[in-house]
Amino acid sequence: MVSLSWYLILAAALFLIGVYGVIVRRNSIAILMGVELMLNAVNINILAFWHYHTQLNGVVNVSGMVFAAIVIIAAAAEAAVGLALIISVFRRKNSIVAAEMNVLKG
Amino acid sequence: MNYEVLTWLIPLPPLAAFFLIVLITNKSNKISHSLAIFSAGLSWLAGMIVFIWAIGPQGVHQQILSSSINWLPTAQSFLKIGVQIDALTAVSLFFVAWTVLMIFIYSVGYHNFGSPKGEHDQPGLPPHGSTELDPDGKTIIQMSIEPMYARFFAFISLFAFAMYVLVLSNNLLTLYIGWEIMGLCSYLLIGFWYAKPSARAAAMKAFLTTRVGDVFMLLGLASLYTLTGSLQYEVIFSHEVLSQLVNSLSPVLGLSWASLIGLLIFIGVVGKSSQFPLHVWLPDAMEGPTPVSAMIHAATMVSAGVYLGLRFFPIISAGWEGGLALTPVMFVMALIGSFTALFAATIAIAQNDIKRVLAYSTISQLGYMIAAIGIGAYSAAVFHLITHAFFKALLFLGSGSVIHGMEHGVHHSGEHIDTQDMFNMGGLRKTMPRTFITFLAGGLALSGFPLITAGFWSKDEILSGAFNGGFNLVFIILAVSALLTAFYTMRQLSLVFLGKPRSEAAKHAHETPWTMTLPLGVLALFAIAAGWAGIPESFPLIGGKIPNWFGEFIGPMIHNSEHGAEHHSLVPLFTSLVVSLGGLSLGYLVYRSINKDERDPMEWSLGGVYKVLAHKYYIDEFYDWAFIRPSRWIADKVVYFWLDLRIIDGSLHAISNFSLWLGTLLRKKFDSAVINRGGDALASSARKAGSEMRVMQSGRVQDYMILALALILVGGLLVVLILL
Amino acid sequence: MNVQQVIFISFALVTVFAAIMVVSLRNLFHAALWLIVALLGVASIFALLGASFFAAVQILVYIGAIAILLIFAVMLTRNIMSDETTQTNRAWGLAVILVVVIFFIIVSQISTWSGFSQPLTDLPLSGQESILALGKGFVSPNGFALPFETASVLLLAALLGGVYIAMDREKE
């Protein structure tokens, strides 16, 4: 039997790989890919717990599914807007290196 | 007719005139003098109405009219102001009202109302005259109007107010108020021509000298108030209070309180009525315009001193049973009064200025009155006060008229002479007849010319009082003074009016306008007739035919009936006849024909004594050495130099230097060093910290994220470690 | 070790490997393709969990839309990044350490929960039941109608926003 712990550990690993990608990669689009990884890990987590709860209670747990659905929706929206932003920035600065987006430097 | 209200209203018109002239009408001479004369007239009218009522059957014989209002609250009671009409007030009111009105009218002419303004005239100096072209084309100089005309009327109105207040008051406080205001007006009016240094000095001298007297008087008032708790006449002159005052001993010289208070008040009288040793201000006060001399220094202000002495007679004479055993105060009064009478008369014979002679004459006559009070001849003193006011005012106004005539002559002839020096006059009876006649009446009254002049009757009363009371020394001194009085009066008359003119100016003098000669005439009538109201019964032939109205009216003023004059001998009558006629004839003989540039016969006949007399016994010089110079020295060296400059200024400079030093120290050591540098250090350290921390703000999102992550980790570890 | 566990481990390993590839490859296009693999792996995990609907949605939305979008973006910005410069910034060492440490912390902490080791059995539901429940939940006012509608507004905003931001202004 696959215990809950395996899913959680998988989700954690995936999440942290996404974190690594966000922090380390220079290309903005690569950062976005990291963000997608993180969101997916979160989804795994949510659905794991959904299964757990449904299994325990015997009744379908709607909120878990809704949550996961919303996460997907949000991820989609965010990816769209984020890429639009990157394209726009690319048009101005001709670069998508995240380290060069430092106009807010203090 | 509510006499009480009328009495309250008597002093007020001149006060209103003063304020109106000062504030509103001072640009217009005509309105100012009309206002002043109108107000004096109103007071005169009210005063006459009250007087007539007072002497009538329903008047003050029955009941003294007295009314007060509460003024200043003290702890338990009030200080009051009030008015009173009794016999003394009534007769004083009479002479004050008449003389004030006459002098106001006279002032219009004296200050040359209606004349053009002089080109060189300035406010503060007497007018010099204005040049004009007469119809022939010659330039002539005319009298010019006084530049400060309205101011004069304002001041004399204020003075009139003060005199009325003093005479009408029913308590010592109101009297003192009037007294002090008169002192102020005297100062203002003596120094009227304030641009003249001599006038300024004279004004100060008058004020300071009378002030010396006033200080002692205030001490007397204060002790009276402390002892009796009231200043109302009806309280302090009541039997109980008087006997209390007589019987309690003061801490000074073993005198009773009555004597001490009487002496202190008398010192005030000495100052105000110009007796020795405080007489020095009156001759110098002749610097003021002549109406001022007439009003203040002849008729009214100096009379106020005698009035006070008369008012205070109950306290002064408390414990006197009649006869020669005078109370200490009366003794001092008799002494100083008679001494002053003789002393001033001797100085008068050596004076050449027409007004100075009259000034010393005033001092001498006041001495008469004070001596009379001193020997207990109360009604004689009152009588002489009244008659003297009339004829002395007349004489002063007459002298003013003479001086004006002389100034006409000076303008005409162009001489530069002293218009007040009698040795430049002469023969003025032809050119100034009206002045001559009235001056003659006044002069004869002053000398005590028998029967037809008021001065005779009043002086005779005093001499009778002295002789019949047994005060032989006083009698002799007063008689000698009367002789000298007649002598110098005739000297004056002869030098001024008789003989031939001794200067061009005197030749060209002419009579003064009606505004000046009318008051002279009215006063001359009084100078002649006023004496007939007080003919004593013991007078041979006519005594008893006309009732001695005056004696009967005034007599009841003193509680114990008059203790004097038990015997009525004829010696005083003879003596007064001899001295007055003798003095007059002696003067006439010596002075009737003094020619120009001839010296005064007194000079070579008296020799060195003349010099002493002419210099007024060198008393002014003595006072200067004994009092003025030390005061000046103290003021200059002690107070100014040491106290003011060294100590006060010194301590101020020390404080300021110290503050400056302290401030600089604080600035350098604390403000700049600590605060400024601290502030700067704070700012620069913040900037340094900022620029160091700025490195964190790379603008790169990834750096922020890793930083956040790391810090969360570390923080979380810390939390976990602490919690567990 | 039964069949389910073996399947799970293999899919998990694929997913993790694909994720590591995503964050390591220099060539972005390859990284995007590896991302697709990772997403597929995640979809399979969803299926294992019994959330079959979500597996389908994952493939449709994530792979079919988002990953394609990413590939578009990679293509549009392609010429800029040369393949020689490093793909990682200079903090990669610290990041690795941090990530590992955090992983261990997370795992150690959630393992203290009692339900951690709960074995997950098949759900006694048919696939339709859960989807029906989800559908009802999305539209019932007592359920999650509001978040659903809000989510659609969010998508509208994202749509408009994306268009506006990325619009080429010069050609207006």
Side-chain angles (χ1 to χ4, degrees), chain B residues 342-412:
Chain B
L342 184 59
F343 168 79
T346 55
I347 299 181
I349 60 179
Q351 298 298 312
N352 294 339
D353 183 319
I354 189 174
K355 281 170 76 170
R356 291 277 147 101
V357 175
L358 294 173
Y360 283 105
S361 165
T362 308
I363 298 176
S364 174
Q365 296 300 305
L366 289 168
Y368 258 86
M369 296 176 224
I370 292 193
I373 303 177
I375 59 175
Y378 186 86
S379 36
V382 180
F383 199 19
H384 198 57
L385 178 67
I386 296 174
T387 56
H388 173 263
F390 282 122
F391 60 68
K392 198 38 77 57
L394 169 62
L395 284 170
F396 266 107
L397 295 186
S399 73
S401 180
V402 165
I403 295 171
H404 252 49
M406 287 292 288
E407 295 210 333
H408 266 291
V410 162
H411 288 317
H412 198 267

Side-chain angles (χ1 to χ4, degrees), chain A residues 19 22-25 31 98-99 101-102 104-106, chain B residues 694-695 697-706 709:
Chain A
V19 167
V22 165
I23 291 177
V24 165
R25 299 277 270 173
I31 296 175
M101 317 289 173
N102 59 358
L104 283 181
K105 178 180 164 119
Chain B
R694 196 194 219 196
V695 177
Q697 301 287 340
S698 58
R700 299 196 285 254
V701 182
Q702 290 171 312
D703 291 349
Y704 296 161
M705 283 197 284
I706 199 170
L709 208 56

Side-chain angles (χ1 to χ4, degrees), chain B residues 501-536:
Chain B
R502 285 188 284 280
S503 67
E504 281 302 309
K507 261 195 228 156
H508 294 265
H510 73 76
E511 188 60 269
T512 47
W514 70 267
T515 47
M516 290 169 81
T517 51
L518 175 70
L520 290 177
V522 172
L523 289 172
L525 279 173
F526 279 113
I528 293 173
W532 294 331
I535 302 177

Side-chain angles (χ1 to χ4, degrees), chain B residues 270-310:
Chain B
V270 163
K272 198 65 125 185
S273 289
S274 182
Q275 299 297 292
F276 181 85
L278 296 173
H279 66 279
V280 290
W281 65 272
L282 190 54
D284 284 9
M286 300 296 120
E287 292 285 339
T290 308
V292 170
S293 309
M295 186 158 67
I296 298 187
H297 307 125
T300 40
M301 190 172 96
V302 294
S303 311
V306 178
Y307 175 85
L308 179 63
L310 289 167

Side-chain angles (χ1 to χ4, degrees), chain B residues 148-208:
Chain B
M148 297 190 291
Y149 192 80
R151 184 181 156 112
F152 184 80
F153 279 95
F155 286 159
I156 54 175
S157 303
L158 182 65
F159 173 81
F161 162 72
M163 188 65 193
Y164 278 118
V165 163
L166 181 135
V167 162
L168 290 170
S169 81
N170 79 344
N171 62 24
L172 285 174
L173 183 63
T174 323
L175 182 140
Y176 191 70
I177 292 172
W179 186 274
E180 290 298 323
I181 298 180
M182 282 204 292
L184 170 71
C185 291
S186 170
Y187 168 82
L188 289 171
L189 285 163
I190 294 174
F192 184 67
W193 287 315
Y194 50 78
K196 278 171 72 177
S198 53
R200 292 200 295 268
M204 288 263 270
K205 186 173 183 179
F207 195 78
L208 288 172

Side-chain angles (χ1 to χ4, degrees), chain B residues 581-645:
Chain B
L581 292 171
L584 285 170
S585 20
L586 198 59
Y588 178 69
L589 285 171
V590 175
Y591 284 99
R592 68 189 156 156
S593 52
I594 303 284
N595 294 318
K596 193 172 147 121
D597 293 332
E598 217 176 286
R599 279 185 335 164
D600 191 345
M602 304 293 309
E603 276 189 57
W604 50 259
S605 60
L606 291 177
V609 178
Y610 179 80
K611 198 150 168 263
V612 171
L613 293 180
H615 281 122
K616 308 161 279 179
Y617 293 99
Y618 295 104
I619 291 191
D620 278 318
E621 286 78 359
F622 171 69
Y623 281 169
D624 183 56
W625 173 83
F627 297 116
I628 311 290
R629 276 216 212 120
S631 310
R632 280 243 162 83
W633 180 85
I634 290 178
D636 194 30
K637 285 273 168 294
V638 176
V639 181
Y640 178 65
F641 187 67
W642 280 100
L643 269 184
D644 207 29
L645 283 181

Side-chain angles (χ1 to χ4, degrees), chain B residues 391-571:
Chain B
F391 60 68
K392 198 38 77 57
L394 169 62
L395 284 170
F396 266 107
L397 295 186
S399 73
S401 180
V402 165
I403 295 171
H404 252 49
M406 287 292 288
E407 295 210 333
H408 266 291
V410 162
H411 288 317
H412 198 267
S413 64
E415 274 176 308
H416 288 289
I417 52 169
D418 181 6
T419 48
Q420 294 187 326
D421 189 339
M422 296 192 293
F423 280 90
N424 291 330
M425 302 176 190
L428 289 179
R429 73 183 179 287
K430 299 213 178 78
T431 45
M432 302 176 73
R434 288 194 292 243
T435 308
F436 171 56
I437 295 285
T438 50
F439 200 96
L440 185 65
L444 290 179
L446 174 58
S447 315
F449 191 81
L451 294 176
I452 59 167
T453 59
F456 167 70
W457 298 106
S458 53
K459 220 181 262 201
D460 182 51
E461 281 281 314
I462 296 180
L463 287 173
S464 309
F467 186 76
N468 293 329
F471 302 99
N472 295 323
L473 183 61
V474 172
F475 175 73
I476 293 174
I477 295 178
L478 289 182
V480 172
S481 319
L483 178 68
L484 290 173
T485 305
F487 177 70
Y488 68 64
T489 309
M490 200 57 197
R491 171 177 181 260
Q492 186 174 36
L493 272 165
S494 317
L495 283 175
V496 175
F497 292 104
L498 306 179
K500 291 192 288 282
R502 285 188 284 280
S503 67
E504 281 302 309
K507 261 195 228 156
H508 294 265
H510 73 76
E511 188 60 269
T512 47
W514 70 267
T515 47
M516 290 169 81
T517 51
L518 175 70
L520 290 177
V522 172
L523 289 172
L525 279 173
F526 279 113
I528 293 173
W532 294 331
I535 302 177
E537 286 167 359
S538 56
F539 199 79
L541 296 180
I542 38 181
K545 298 232 173 52
I546 307 172
N548 185 357
W549 171 85
F550 195 85
E552 283 165 19
F553 188 60
I554 292 291
M557 274 296 304
I558 40 186
H559 294 272
N560 26 6
S561 53
E562 223 172 297
H563 286 298
E566 312 291 355
H567 315 281
H568 301 280
S569 91
L570 290 175
V571 170

